[in-house]
């Protein structure tokens, strides 16, 4: 989970502040010393950390803070606001050319996840109604073209390639004519990387930029490389002029300080972050939401975004009607589990909930397979059994257990959980006759 260690350390610092009825200047400075160490351990740029601590301390030791009724909460509020400002204040979105195709030039070092990120970004844009084209301009790395083709097939995006003998500059230039002929309004040029920055690489990228005139040049950096990612961003910006940054592998929780440093150091915004291997695991970067996650405040807005993307609107409306009528059955239960799986891992979803103890969650054994087992049990039932579980006698349960590869005890446990959920839903439905609340926003999902 992103910033798990940093978040845990900061939350421990602020827990001490909340426990004090009144803060002294020494209390604030001691807290800031611990915050500084936590940020440095996360590999945030030391100059960025120094300026951040100075800004927070100056605001936090003011008379109105130290004398307020809830000084600890006031300090947390200041840290939250400064974290948001540090990461760019507002979400930075992709821009589009007034005359298609819009060209995005993807650059970065080898191993940063550039090719995969190109495919994911193309997939995201296709979901928005665009017609993207991936362009294979890495003719040096063995199997680079094949990798892009596999990525393109995964996300159902066509790939333009001319083999590994043609010049990348020629390939990039000819891809524009191909895009125009085939009605592609987005072109993503996957350029070659290197193990380190060299003049030959930069010269080639400069020539490609001159030929395709990209709307944006997007640098892909690996969060696990920590401060090196910021140094790479600085160099690429000086040589090419960047428009945005994509940070990959942020889910690793290792040296994720690049996300906190790069905007301040380069002035270039982080536009997307990679939180896993799936298409939906690349997210638009929201500084305010990330700051809330780090400080353990949850991220309900991202949770709602994921739910709205995963839940079918028509199904949600039908489910809500059943919810109000207390007529939910195991078929509905199965549909909900399948849609919740689309939202990501249960542990990550729990991490977005406000009030969840991140430290406890970090050590929790969240069994992601439990939902798969429950699906198997329900899918081993007949349609009539799913609609009316009361008909399930001993012999039927034995048949279902054998068919799903589970035990009778697990079948009974599922049925008990379902009945408990129905009772809870019946009670909730009475208080939701006149308003939807969070249930409506989340598309009627069951509260697993």
């Amino acid at each position: 989970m992103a910033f798990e260690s940093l978040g845990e350390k900061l939350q421990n610092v602020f827990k001490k502040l909340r426990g004090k009825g009144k803060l002294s200047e020494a209390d604030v400075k001691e807290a800031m010393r611990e915050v500084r160490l936590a940020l440095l351990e996360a590999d945030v740029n030391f100059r960025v950390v120094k300026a951040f601590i100075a800004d927070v301390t100056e605001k936090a030791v003011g008379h109105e803070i130290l004398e307020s009724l809830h000084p600890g909460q006031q300090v947390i509020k200041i840290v939250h606001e400064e974290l948001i400002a540090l990461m760019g204040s507002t979400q930075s979105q992709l821009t589009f050319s007034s005359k298609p195709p819009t060209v995005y030039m993807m650059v970065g070092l080898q191993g940063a996840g550039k090719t995969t990120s190109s495919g994911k970004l193309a997939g995201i844009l296709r979901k928005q109604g665009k017609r993207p084209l991936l362009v294979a301009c890495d003719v040096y790395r063995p199997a680079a073209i094949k990798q892009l083709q596999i990525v393109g097939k995964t996300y159902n995006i066509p790939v333009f390639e001319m083999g590994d003998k043609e010049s990348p500059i020629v390939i990039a230039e000819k891809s524009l004519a191909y895009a125009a002929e085939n009605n592609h309004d987005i072109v993503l040029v996957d350029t070659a990387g290197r193990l380190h920055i060299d003049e030959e690489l930069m010269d080639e990228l400069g020539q490609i930029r001159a030929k395709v005139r990209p709307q944006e040049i997007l640098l892909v950096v690996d969060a696990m490389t920590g401060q090196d990612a910021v140094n790479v961003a600085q160099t690429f910006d000086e040589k090419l002029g960047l428009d945005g940054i994509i940070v990959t592998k942020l889910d690793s929780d290792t040296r994720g300080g690049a996300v906190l440093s790069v905007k301040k150091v380069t002035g270039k915004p982080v536009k997307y972050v990679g939180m896993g291997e799936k298409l939906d695991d690349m997210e638009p970067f929201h500084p305010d939401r990330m700051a809330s996650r780090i400080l353990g405040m949850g991220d309900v807005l991202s949770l709602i975004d994921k739910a709205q993307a995963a839940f079918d609107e028509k199904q949600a409306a039908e489910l809500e009607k059943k919810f109000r009528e207390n007529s939910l059955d195991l078929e509905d239960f199965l549909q909900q589990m399948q849609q919740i799986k689309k939202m990501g891992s249960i542990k990550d979803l729990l991490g977005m909930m406000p009030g969840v103890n991140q430290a406890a969650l970090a050590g929790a054994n969240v069994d992601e397979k439990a939902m798969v087992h429950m699906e198997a049990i329900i899918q081993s039932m007949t349609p009539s059994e799913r609609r009316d579980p009361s008909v399930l006698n001993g012999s039927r349960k034995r048949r279902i257990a054998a068919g799903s590869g589970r035990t009778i005890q697990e079948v009974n446990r599922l049925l008990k959980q379902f009945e408990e959920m129905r009772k809870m839903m019946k009670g909730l439905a009475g208080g939701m006759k006149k308003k939807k609340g969070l249930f409506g926003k989340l598309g009627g999902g069951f509260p697993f």
Side-chain angles (χ1 to χ4, degrees), residues 107-110 192-203 205 219 221 228-240 242:
V107 300
L109 298 184
Q110 277 187 26
R194 296 286 192 279
L195 294 175
H196 55 84
I197 295 170
D198 59 45
E199 289 304 318
E200 185 181 357
L201 166 68
M202 289 302 173
D203 180 60
L205 295 178
L219 172 70
V221 296
D228 286 343
V230 180
N231 298 333
V232 167
Q234 270 187 300
T235 305
F236 268 88
D237 187 43
E238 289 166 4
K239 300 288 186 179
L240 289 174
L242 299 176

Side-chain angles (χ1 to χ4, degrees), residues 53-106:
I53 295 298
D55 290 343
V56 172
T57 303
E58 182 181 353
K59 294 177 181 177
V61 298
H63 177 78
E64 66 277 9
I65 300 297
L66 298 181
E67 297 298 322
S68 70
L69 291 174
H70 303 287
Q73 292 177 357
Q74 292 283 71
V75 174
I76 296 167
K77 180 174 181 288
I78 291 168
V79 171
H80 184 245
E81 291 170 348
E82 291 299 314
L83 273 176
I84 294 172
L86 184 65
M87 292 186 283
S89 296
T90 58
Q91 180 197 5
S92 180
Q93 298 181 335
L94 292 176
T95 60
F96 297 93
S97 173
S98 56
K99 182 182 179 182
T102 296
V103 179
Y104 299 116
M105 189 171 158
M106 310 293 286

Side-chain angles (χ1 to χ4, degrees), residues 385-427:
E385 289 170 341
R386 295 180 198 177
R387 288 191 293 269
D388 183 12
S390 65
V391 303
L392 293 175
N393 55 24
S395 62
R396 288 179 185 241
K397 289 177 183 178
R398 282 193 292 273
R399 189 202 78 237
I400 292 166
S404 60
R406 312 314 305 166
T407 64
I408 293 178
Q409 287 83 357
E410 286 176 288
V411 175
N412 286 329
R413 191 182 309 130
L414 168 64
L415 294 173
K416 184 179 179 182
Q417 288 173 346
F418 175 67
E419 282 307 314
E420 287 174 351
M421 184 210 69
R422 277 180 49 159
K423 288 177 184 177
M424 182 183 69
M425 290 292 189
K426 185 178 181 180

Side-chain angles (χ1 to χ4, degrees), residues 330-331 333-335 337-338 341 368-383 385-386 392 396-408 410-412 414-415 417:
L330 282 167
E331 192 70 58
F333 197 57
L334 178 63
Q335 284 183 2
M337 283 193 290
Q338 290 171 338
K341 277 173 62 181
E368 298 285 350
K369 291 182 179 178
M371 197 176 287
V372 176
H373 296 163
M374 293 167 77
E375 279 187 81
I377 291 171
I378 298 173
Q379 287 170 336
S380 295
M381 298 177 186
T382 65
E385 289 170 341
R386 295 180 198 177
L392 293 175
R396 288 179 185 241
K397 289 177 183 178
R398 282 193 292 273
R399 189 202 78 237
I400 292 166
S404 60
R406 312 314 305 166
T407 64
I408 293 178
E410 286 176 288
V411 175
N412 286 329
L414 168 64
L415 294 173
Q417 288 173 346

Side-chain angles (χ1 to χ4, degrees), residues 204-242:
E204 178 179 289
L205 295 178
Q207 291 183 61
I208 292 174
R209 179 187 61 183
K211 289 292 184 183
V212 301
R213 298 182 180 275
Q215 176 73 12
E216 294 193 14
I217 299 178
L218 301 173
L219 172 70
V220 180
V221 296
D222 181 347
M224 295 177 70
T225 61
Q227 193 53 47
D228 286 343
V230 180
N231 298 333
V232 167
Q234 270 187 300
T235 305
F236 268 88
D237 187 43
E238 289 166 4
K239 300 288 186 179
L240 289 174
L242 299 176

